[in-house]
Amino acid sequence: MGEGVEWGLHCCLALAWLDEQAPIPAGRLAEIFELPPVYLKKRLQPLVRAGVLASVAGARGGYRLARSPERITLMEVVAAVEGTTEAFRCTEIRQRGAGAEAAASDFAKPCGVAGAMRRAELAWRRELAAQTVADLLAASPAGAPARMRRFHERLGS
């Protein structure tokens, strides 16, 4: 998984903590996390396409959560940023080399490696789908929201 997922989730947290009616400009979010604005915009665009964030164009534009934190799952953010392709792709290497001599019936069922990897991926996806941005908010250090708001205010809202 790329760091875009981490940035996407942290931006969702920041937007929830700031909880403002006005959208937060991408440049402001980039300043908060000390990132180049162009880099961050590229990370936020898939979240807009997925309906996790709303984007408002113009001089007073920016980003805000498209839905309440309780309605945004971690899996949605991961899928928006990374795509929905499975992490493990079985290429049937068991049918090469010594396996090339085996009967076709030996390969009628998926191998144990593919099965184990599929079960692990399903468990991972279920766990991320069961957690929301609101869960992350609840697990955050007590001072994090106030610290984010103070920093945002210092940058000049």
Side-chain angles (χ1 to χ4, degrees):
M1 221 179 320
E3 68 180 9
V5 170
E6 183 177 8
W7 289 123
L9 288 168
H10 278 289
C11 284
C12 287
L13 284 169
L15 292 169
W17 284 329
L18 295 173
D19 192 31
E20 296 189 7
Q21 296 300 329
I24 306 297
R28 175 64 52 83
L29 284 170
E31 283 181 88
I32 288 171
F33 294 112
E34 296 180 343
L35 292 171
V38 172
Y39 172 84
L40 188 60
K41 276 185 178 181
K42 287 181 182 178
R43 301 292 128 347
L44 298 179
Q45 289 169 353
L47 295 173
V48 171
R49 285 191 296 274
V52 172
L53 298 181
S55 174
V56 177
R60 295 199 169 273
Y63 296 90
R64 66 173 154 249
L65 294 179
R67 292 174 269 140
S68 69
E70 296 81 13
R71 296 186 54 227
I72 300 171
T73 70
L74 303 190
M75 190 65 235
E76 287 179 280
V77 174
V78 170
V81 174
E82 292 287 318
T84 57
T85 305
E86 293 179 358
F88 178 80
R89 289 173 236 22
C90 179
T91 60
E92 284 293 336
I93 64 171
R94 66 186 177 150
Q95 294 184 37
R96 300 180 198 158
E101 298 173 9
S105 61
D106 287 355
F107 307 112
K109 295 180 182 178
C111 74
V113 171
M117 298 303 276
R118 180 73 181 136
R119 286 189 303 278
E121 175 131 358
L122 288 173
W124 174 76
R125 288 178 182 272
R126 273 192 301 270
E127 183 64 25
L128 290 175
Q131 293 184 56
T132 67
V133 171
D135 295 325
L136 294 179
L137 291 169
S140 298
R147 190 171 46 252
M148 180 64 68
R149 285 191 287 278
R150 280 193 310 273
F151 192 84
H152 174 60
E153 289 166 5
R154 274 198 311 263
L155 292 174
S157 20

